[in-house]
Amino acid sequence: MRWTQAFIPTLRDDPADAEAASHKLLVRAGYARQLSSGIYSLLPLGFRVARKVEATIRAELEKIGAQEFQLPCMHPSEIWEKSGRGAIAESFRLQDRHGADLILGLTHEEIFTWLARELRSYKELPQLWFQFQTKFRDEERPKSGLLRVREFVMKDSYSFDLNEEGLDLQFQNHFDAYRRIFERCGLDTIAVEASSGAMGGSESVEFMVPTEAGEDWVANCGMCGYAANIEKATSALPEATDEAGAASPEQFPTPGVRTIADLAGFEGGAPADRQIKTLVYVLDEEPALVLLRGDHDLVEQKLLDASGATAARPAGDDEIRSLLGAGAGSLGAVGVSADVRILADPALESRTDMTTGANLDEHHLRGVDVGRDINITQWADLREVKSGEACPACEHALELKKTVEVGHIFKLGTKYSEALGAEVLDENGKKRPVIMGSYGIGVGRAVAAIVETHHDENGMIWPMNVAPFEVVVTVVKPKDVECHEVGERIYETLQGAGIDVLIDDRDVSPGVKFKDAELIGIPYRITVGPKGLKDGKVEVFRRRGAQKRELPVDRVADAVTENVLEERR
């Protein structure tokens, strides 16, 4: 490709609204352009990178026996209703001219399962199907360029098996394939335990890339390797030592006390770790109390997972007062009707002499025995893990890392096959729902994550496997006959060797050419200029590490080709 014929609209400055490095660089270097909030166009350079990411994914999936499909983006709503996911808030909905309700696909579990109904016998299993397709999600707050968008391309694959052992094998095969995919793309990922969320199923693993642009926190142990998303992470807490406390709770006035911190500083109050925090939530339109230790914070996804609810929200002031007779700041679970569901974090189990709200404005109770005084409906891990707490596996201190998710694999079980009727006859002639797995990689997000972890102050530094071009031949003076002829010869030789090469034949200053080459992040630059040609040499610049060397004109193409082939994975 010739730069004079290419569309590479580089910008001098970062976009004003960009915060993430990938957002700034992908726009500034001419890889992407925003059309509206959360909707981006990939320009030629960006599309070349995306195609190379897709090619890497495709190659590794085909190694484990996957077959490629292309399914529609527009789905009949009734299929999503059958699976119980018809009311997902992030879905885009529309009607056709006949009034039929449609959904733009957020993902394709339902549609692949619909096709799997054509499987008839266990002899046709296992099956592994995949596609690259556009997805649509009505994100409430799109941000960070390609990291959180409303329209994106995803690789989603689905496995179909007769039994759990088959699913376990498919899950492990995908885990290993994902490791290879991300390594080849230059991404150093952490595989973490994760919540399955609205997808359902028994187990899921996320592949996370540490970056300050991420929105997901991961708890990681540097000693044993334990890793989990904050939505799933646990830690070992020191054993608490409590006094026996009074024979029954004692009510006392707490004027002006509204928060855990207020009560901790109130004379006769209690430190945060000796308080019971009482939150009122509405779970699928039913009120419930959520109890945590005063110094702990709730993870809403843990609450959803534990309760089995599809939706959770904090109760409003009127709902709280109607249920408990007091306002926030004076709430507790002592004496609450047995009809009210109460979920409590295990950090409160067997605790005595605790302090909590009295369900009377500006009053609290001391001497509370959790087991004696509160009718707990369900014990469940609900709290957020904090940095420095002990690893649940080895008790080494946990570290919290900010990350972005680039892949997620799920054991779905029979959630979708039972709902949609995907069954096969087993060896005894009995109908059985197929057991499914689901495995996703967001292509655009992977591209952005690569930029997040491969850039410097001058621009992007693409790993060889995903670079839009592997070499740029920079002709310093394209109107100089010798410069032009040598540059063309090197360019043609590299092309003949199968190298993705761009020749910068623009009639602009050398400084502009060098800055643009560094900005767009091409791994190797060969600079052809009059000064070097006097000695029969050209300069080779390696973008990673900013390493320079001079090579004879007649050897440079072979030498750089060898370098490129060594760096390809």
Side-chain angles (χ1 to χ4, degrees):
M1 172 60 71
R2 297 180 180 279
W3 204 308
T4 50
Q5 297 174 347
F7 183 62
I8 308 175
T10 59
L11 303 175
R12 183 171 298 178
D13 300 311
D14 294 332
D17 61 339
E19 296 180 4
S22 59
H23 187 186
K24 294 175 183 177
L25 289 171
L26 286 168
V27 173
R28 189 173 152 218
Y31 282 70
R33 287 291 184 267
Q34 182 173 332
L35 181 62
S36 66
S37 177
I39 303 175
Y40 283 80
S41 301
L42 283 184
L43 308 187
L45 289 184
F47 189 55
R48 287 180 72 93
V49 175
R51 284 197 310 174
K52 289 194 173 184
V53 171
E54 289 181 5
T56 301
I57 296 170
R58 181 178 287 109
E60 293 297 340
L61 287 183
E62 289 180 346
K63 285 180 185 176
I64 61 173
Q67 305 166 75
E68 188 165 2
F69 286 58
Q70 186 175 50
L71 272 57
C73 300
M74 193 179 300
H75 308 160
S77 295
E78 59 261 31
I79 296 180
W80 284 73
E81 298 292 344
K82 287 177 183 291
S83 71
R85 298 204 301 170
I88 292 178
E90 292 81 13
S91 61
F92 282 101
R93 303 163 185 278
L94 67 153
Q95 285 188 336
D96 68 13
R97 66 178 64 194
H98 305 294
D101 292 321
L102 302 166
I103 287 179
L104 296 180
L106 293 82
T107 180
H108 277 73
E109 279 76 15
E110 283 81 358
I111 313 307
F112 269 99
T113 308
W114 195 256
L115 289 175
R117 299 186 314 156
E118 296 192 31
L119 297 170
R120 296 286 181 261
S121 168
Y122 74 97
K123 295 180 181 179
E124 297 175 77
L125 301 178
Q127 291 284 331
L128 178 54
W129 302 345
F130 81 102
Q131 67 167 352
F132 292 93
Q133 185 55 282
T134 303
K135 315 291 187 189
F136 301 88
R137 290 186 187 169
D138 191 8
E139 287 280 1
E140 186 175 358
R141 291 180 297 275
K143 59 179 294 188
S144 302
L146 298 185
L147 289 175
R148 181 186 277 198
V149 292
R150 298 197 292 167
E151 178 182 337
F152 57 96
V153 172
M154 176 180 280
K155 184 288 301 176
D156 47 327
S157 49
Y158 304 87
S159 61
F160 304 88
D161 286 275
L162 185 66
N163 51 43
E164 294 289 345
E165 292 78 14
L167 172 60
D168 290 345
L169 178 61
Q170 298 257 35
F171 193 83
Q172 186 61 49
N173 285 346
H174 263 84
F175 184 95
D176 295 339
Y178 273 36
R179 284 289 202 199
R180 294 191 297 270
I181 287 165
F182 295 129
E183 181 182 354
R184 290 179 61 187
C185 289
L187 289 172
D188 185 12
T189 56
I190 305 171
V192 306
E193 297 176 24
S195 167
S196 295
M199 294 285 287
S202 61
E203 181 182 348
S204 76
V205 172
E206 289 175 323
F207 292 81
M208 315 296 282
V209 175
T211 168
E212 282 303 307
E215 295 185 322
D216 293 308
W217 288 92
V218 164
N220 185 221
C221 177
M223 182 67 69
C224 72
Y226 169 82
N229 190 299
I230 203 75
E231 296 177 346
K232 191 79 172 179
T234 62
S235 63
L237 294 176
E239 188 173 343
T241 303
D242 298 331
E243 299 294 331
S248 62
E250 173 193 349
Q251 182 175 293
F252 64 104
T254 51
V257 169
R258 295 287 183 271
T259 66
I260 296 291
D262 288 345
L263 187 59
F266 185 81
E267 185 176 354
D273 64 352
R274 300 204 57 77
Q275 297 182 44
I276 301 171
K277 180 186 292 184
T278 304
L279 305 174
V280 183
Y281 264 75
V282 179
L283 305 177
D284 290 343
E285 301 311 314
E286 291 294 328
L289 301 189
V290 180
L291 308 184
L292 300 116
R293 207 171 77 183
D295 58 337
H296 290 163
D297 295 318
L298 173 68
V299 176
E300 284 197 3
Q301 187 61 54
K302 287 187 175 185
L303 176 60
L304 285 167
D305 292 344
S307 66
T310 57
R313 63 173 176 84
D317 292 342
D318 291 344
E319 292 171 311
I320 292 171
R321 192 167 289 279
S322 174
L323 182 69
L324 298 178
S330 301
L331 305 179
V334 176
V336 171
S337 168
D339 294 336
V340 178
R341 187 177 184 182
I342 302 176
L343 297 92
D345 185 83
L348 293 174
E349 199 161 7
S350 303
R351 297 300 303 274
T352 60
D353 199 26
M354 300 291 283
T355 300
T356 190
N359 290 330
L360 177 65
D361 287 337
E362 299 192 327
H363 286 76
H364 282 73
L365 298 174
R366 61 168 65 100
V368 174
D369 182 320
V370 174
R372 179 192 67 196
D373 300 322
I374 302 176
N375 295 315
I376 306 296
T377 308
Q378 180 183 352
W379 292 99
D381 174 36
L382 301 170
R383 67 183 179 87
E384 182 178 284
V385 167
K386 294 178 179 165
S387 188
E389 291 178 350
C391 171
C394 73
E395 298 193 347
H396 185 75
L398 291 171
E399 179 185 0
L400 292 187
K401 297 180 177 179
K402 207 173 184 184
T403 63
V404 62
E405 174 198 321
V406 291
H408 203 159
I409 59 178
F410 301 84
K411 289 184 177 180
L412 297 178
T414 58
K415 170 182 170 71
Y416 296 92
S417 55
E418 287 184 351
L420 296 167
E423 299 175 324
V424 296
L425 295 177
D426 65 14
E427 59 269 28
N428 298 315
K430 182 180 177 182
K431 281 188 176 182
R432 290 170 56 179
V434 293
I435 296 175
M436 293 176 58
S438 173
Y439 318 88
I441 295 176
V443 175
R445 180 176 285 191
V447 170
I450 295 167
V451 178
E452 288 292 334
T453 53
H454 295 275
H455 72 272
D456 61 17
E457 66 276 8
N458 295 319
M460 295 177 278
I461 308 172
W462 290 108
M464 189 64 71
N465 236 38
V466 295
F469 294 98
E470 295 162 324
V471 180
V472 55
V473 178
T474 300
V475 182
V476 173
K477 291 190 174 181
K479 291 185 178 179
D480 180 276
V481 174
E482 187 178 16
C483 282
H484 170 76
E485 290 180 350
V486 171
E488 289 290 332
R489 189 162 65 248
I490 294 171
Y491 170 64
E492 291 171 3
T493 303
L494 289 169
Q495 278 189 316
I499 304 299
D500 282 339
V501 58
L502 172 69
I503 185 167
D504 190 349
D505 54 347
R506 295 176 296 169
D507 188 17
V508 296
S509 72
V512 170
K513 294 189 177 204
F514 297 153
K515 282 187 176 181
D516 279 350
E518 290 194 61
L519 176 62
I520 69 174
I522 307 304
Y524 284 94
R525 185 184 77 219
I526 299 173
T527 303
V528 181
K531 186 176 178 181
L533 289 179
K534 288 180 181 179
D535 299 321
K537 294 182 178 181
V538 294
E539 180 186 85
V540 177
F541 176 80
R542 185 171 184 262
R543 180 71 179 86
R544 189 174 304 280
Q547 301 161 340
K548 294 181 180 179
R549 56 187 168 137
E550 288 190 336
L551 290 175
V553 169
D554 59 354
R555 285 186 47 216
V556 67
D558 289 342
V560 172
T561 296
E562 185 177 338
N563 293 150
V564 169
L565 295 179
E566 285 177 356
E567 292 186 38
R568 286 182 184 172
R569 303 186 191 193

